[in-house]
Structure formats: structure tokens, C-alpha cells
Amino acid sequence: MRKLYVLIAILLSASLLSSGNSTFVYAAKTTMFTALPLTGIIDIDDRSHADNFYALQNDGTIWIGNGSKPAIRGPQVPSAVKISGQLILTSAGEVWTWENAGDTPKRIVELSGIKAISSRDASMAINNKGQVYVWGNTCLTSLIRPDFEDNRGLCANAYHNSPTPADDKLASMPKLAIEGAKGIKASLQYIMILMADGKTVKVYGNTTSMSYGMYERVFDKPVVDFDGYDKDYTGYSTYITIPNDISKNAGNYVQVSQAYGGSYKLLMHKDGTVWGDSVWSEDPTRRIAPLKDIIKVAAVAYNSGTALDKYGKVWTWGTRTNIPYQETSEKLLTNVNAKPSQKQLSLRINGRFIVSDPGPIQTNGTTFVPIRSLFESIGAKIGYNNNNITVSYRKQLLAFKVYDTKATLDGKSVVMPAASLSYQGRTYVPLRFLAQAFGAKVAWDDAIGGVSVQFPVN
């Protein structure tokens, strides 16, 4: 029996050390803590053919996720209420934009009094007066904006686009496109507008045979979920909307999302459950467990999706791999394993969040951070020579070896509480010891879900 316990312990240790493939920790016995639950989320954005999903936290922080990996902390926009791609809408009706995780967001000053945003290849915003602003993709923008009225054929054929740099510059600036609207939707190859009557939809973009143009569709009933009106695919594939294109029990569904290729779509029931089916069937066939109390859902790709529940928790599933021309109804939804999303541990240095992928980790009670993230953010110089590392900051010099607790600080021997280690191809160092060696204060901060470091300013 004792041999059995020893064998189990060895197997558990081997499993822990091998998790993540490229992970190596210099210790035979270790417990690694790399992420926290992603909670407090008020809005999500995910769509077909997308690598990442975005989650907007109630304090305005944007989290950037990808499947089961811990989400990365992005920029923050105070009072943010909605996210669409790289657009953020605030409670004051302002629109902000950002590009990379470590950027400072910028306000789009041309826009005010905005009630909804939508962004894909082109960006859209609608204000409280029903006025729609469009900008971004030149081919799509030129189809609707009055300032392109004399040049509507700019991208008549998608294979022979000919916008000039001047056209692109003009299209990049938000300008009024149309009035009398109720809803907006930017898609992969289209911009779509729901007019004030709630039934008329104007579609601008790749209409047929890869030719750009505009057409109109009038529904016999008001559209309930215009955001679910989706044409994120090429050619003559169908699109769906509630309630017209759901043949049975239409009143029970309040949201629909369809993935690229039309092979996979999700419907949210008014009771907060999520159901999925294929293009072969107009009615849901299977419920996705364990999803419940859901308030927003997005079908991303074949058997992949993201959902937000009313408690502010994000759920994700699938490989995010698109198979638009291999639809097989028997294979749909067989591999769905929806799990709560997680976020990285945060690292804030001198009041600024540091973006790093992977992020900080904790093991055996010690917090480790990537050495470059820690020191390059304060202007320190790092030297590598095989496993020998030197850190020069101001007039101090620290030298140590990877996997060794022995170090020298300004020529004096010191012992670190834990050895540096390698994790997912990066060198990680014990944060508290190294930061305090250079006079910094270190503290765990529950509010940010991570560590705050304050180096001396002078």
C-alpha cells in the first residue's frame, strides 16, 4: 500500500511539472498558482474569425482572452459600459479607442451622445438622435457616407480595390453617414443599419459575387435582436434574425449568434439557457451545459463560443477553429466543454500595469515575475550570459544564476528565499526579494488581483 501512495505522489508531481508543455520549475515539489477567476464583467465581445475575446470589467478594465488561457489585462476606460472590438462606450456617451494591451486609450472627440457602438472591419456609432457615424474600412465607408457620394464605385469589385491614401485618410475619420436609424451592426464584410421602423434593414458591403453594393430587406415583424443579424461569411449563405428566421417558439429566444460559415449558431433562451444547432435545422437541438443565467452569448467558430452570465462570469469553450465548408450536423456540439474564464495575476509597478504573457505566478508562497517585465519597466539594464544574469539599476548591481538561490548584491553575497526559474520559455525571479534589494516596496493588492511594486522616484 505504501508503494502505491509513493507511486501516486510521483505521478501527481510529474503531471504538475508537465502542465503547459514548455513549463519547467526548479523544484521537485511545487504548487503553482497562475490565475484568478475572471469576474465582475459587464460586457463581452467575441465574433467569427477572431483570435481573441474581450471582456469589460465593471471598473472599466479590458481583459483580452484566448480560449482557456488566462486573460491578459488590457487598458482601462473609467465609466465604460460597452465594448466592441477596440471601441469602448462610456455611460456619458463618449467613445474611446485603443490598439494594444499596454496602450493608453484615446477619446474620439468627434463623437458624443452615443448610445451604441459596433466595430469590425469598419466602425459604427449611433447617437440618441438616430444619427449613424461610420469610419474605418474605406471600401465599406465609401458605400454609405455622403462625402464619398461621387465615388461610390471605389471598390466595385473586391478583388480590385483601388482606394488612394487620400481615400483611406478620409475614411479613417468618423463622419455622419445616415439618419433615422434604430440599430447598427458591423460585420466581417458588411455594415448594417436597422431603420427607425424596426423592420427595414439596409446592408452595405459584399452583396454577391464579391461585388460591393447595397441592398435592403424589410421584415414582417420588428427585429428583436439586431446584434444577432449576422452576415459574417462570404457568398450566398443564409443569415438569421429574431423572430423572423426562427420558425418555432420564436418568442422564447431573445438573442442569436452565428459563426463564420453559417455552420454553427447559438440561441439564448429567455430563461438564460443556451441552445445550439446547425445550419441544417432552424430550431435548437441541444442545450449547452452547464450554461445558465446567461445574458450574452457569441458563437465564434465550429463548436466554439463565449458567454457572459448575470453574475459577471465569462464562460468559454472550443478550439476557435473555423471549418466553414465542412459542416456535419452529427459532429456539432459533441465536444462542448464550457468552463469559467480566468485572468492573469496582475503586476503594477509605480502605478502602471505591466503587460506580460505569461504573467506573474506564485509557487510555494513566493510570487515570481518575468525579469524583463520587472526591471525594464523602470529602466534597469539586464545582462545574460548563459545562466548568469546581471541587473544594473542606478548605482546598484545584482548578479545571480538561474536555478540558484545564491546571489551577489553590490559585491556582497546574499541568499534569495527562492531560486529563479524558467516558465514557458521565460526567466522568472522572486519578486519581493529582488524588488526590495533595489529599495522598492512590495504588497499584494486584492483590488487588482496581483502585486503592486513602488520603486523610489528619485
Side-chain angles (χ1 to χ4, degrees), residues 34-165:
T34 63
L36 293 169
L38 182 60
T39 57
I41 302 303
I42 58 175
D43 194 26
I44 59 173
D45 181 60
D46 209 345
R47 70 279 298 281
S48 301
H49 238 50
D51 294 327
N52 301 315
F53 70 84
Y54 303 126
L56 179 63
Q57 200 168 330
N58 49 21
D59 65 353
T61 300
I62 300 164
W63 291 91
I64 307 166
N66 188 318
S68 60
K69 293 177 59 179
I72 299 170
R73 178 184 285 271
Q76 184 180 30
V77 179
S79 302
V81 292
K82 291 291 182 181
I83 184 168
S84 181
Q86 291 169 313
L87 293 183
I88 295 291
L89 177 64
T90 70
S91 58
E94 298 175 349
V95 179
W96 294 68
T97 185
W98 59 285
E99 291 186 14
N100 302 306
D103 291 348
T104 299
K106 298 179 181 179
R107 185 188 169 191
I108 302 177
V109 296
E110 296 91 342
L111 302 174
S112 61
I114 301 301
K115 67 175 184 179
I117 54 175
S118 188
S119 181
R120 193 59 170 106
D121 281 11
S123 295
M124 310 175 73
I126 181 172
N127 64 20
N128 295 320
K129 299 178 181 179
Q131 297 172 315
V132 177
Y133 291 79
V134 177
W135 70 100
N137 181 284
T138 306
C139 293
L140 295 175
T141 299
S142 65
L143 291 173
I144 185 173
R145 282 203 343 206
D147 51 337
F148 281 97
E149 188 172 1
D150 295 332
N151 201 7
R152 288 283 187 253
L154 187 62
C155 301
N157 188 305
Y159 292 115
H160 300 89
N161 297 340
S162 56
T164 66

Side-chain angles (χ1 to χ4, degrees), residues 179-337:
E179 300 192 58
K182 183 178 181 180
I184 55 176
K185 174 70 183 291
S187 197
L188 184 64
Q189 300 179 71
Y190 307 87
I191 51 177
M192 295 164 281
I193 298 174
L194 176 64
M195 302 307 292
D197 64 2
K199 299 179 181 180
T200 302
V201 175
K202 295 181 181 292
V203 181
Y204 301 83
N206 184 11
T207 54
T208 95
S209 302
M210 299 301 287
S211 295
Y212 277 76
M214 188 278 281
Y215 71 92
E216 182 176 289
R217 179 178 179 183
V218 180
F219 293 95
D220 58 353
K221 298 178 182 178
V223 175
V224 175
D225 173 36
F226 185 59
D227 190 56
Y229 186 97
D230 202 347
K231 276 189 67 66
D232 263 0
Y233 35 89
T234 304
Y236 298 96
S237 299
T238 60
Y239 45 78
I240 57 176
T241 187
I242 293 177
N244 292 75
D245 299 319
I246 305 298
S247 62
K248 296 179 182 178
N249 302 316
N252 290 328
Y253 299 101
V254 293
Q255 193 179 117
V256 60
S257 181
Q258 183 154 307
Y260 183 91
S263 60
Y264 176 57
K265 64 177 177 278
L266 300 174
L267 295 103
M268 190 179 77
H269 197 277
K270 63 183 180 182
D271 65 3
T273 58
V274 177
W275 297 72
D277 66 346
S278 73
V279 72
W280 310 107
S281 171
E282 292 181 339
D283 298 305
T285 55
R286 298 186 181 99
R287 177 186 169 185
I288 297 181
L291 299 182
K292 60 181 180 179
D293 298 322
I294 300 301
I295 59 174
K296 190 171 184 178
V297 66
V300 182
Y302 194 79
N303 280 6
S304 302
T306 305
L308 173 65
D309 68 26
K310 67 180 183 181
Y311 306 106
K313 185 185 297 184
V314 178
W315 299 77
T316 58
W317 64 95
T319 61
R320 306 180 73 87
T321 301
N322 287 288
I323 315 177
Y325 302 112
Q326 300 179 30
E327 306 100 324
T328 305
S329 58
E330 291 79 13
K331 295 182 180 179
L332 288 168
L333 299 173
T334 56
N335 298 317
V336 169
N337 186 17

Side-chain angles (χ1 to χ4, degrees), residues 32-37 63 70-73 342-348 353-363 366-370 428 444-445 448-451:
M32 189 175 294
F33 177 52
T34 63
L36 293 169
W63 291 91
I72 299 170
R73 178 184 285 271
Q342 293 185 309
K343 64 181 179 181
Q344 287 184 348
L345 304 182
S346 294
L347 174 62
R348 183 168 60 187
F353 286 104
I354 306 302
V355 177
S356 176
D357 188 19
I361 62 175
Q362 286 186 350
T363 177
T366 301
T367 300
F368 291 80
V369 297
Y428 274 65
W444 177 266
D445 190 341
I448 68 170
V451 184

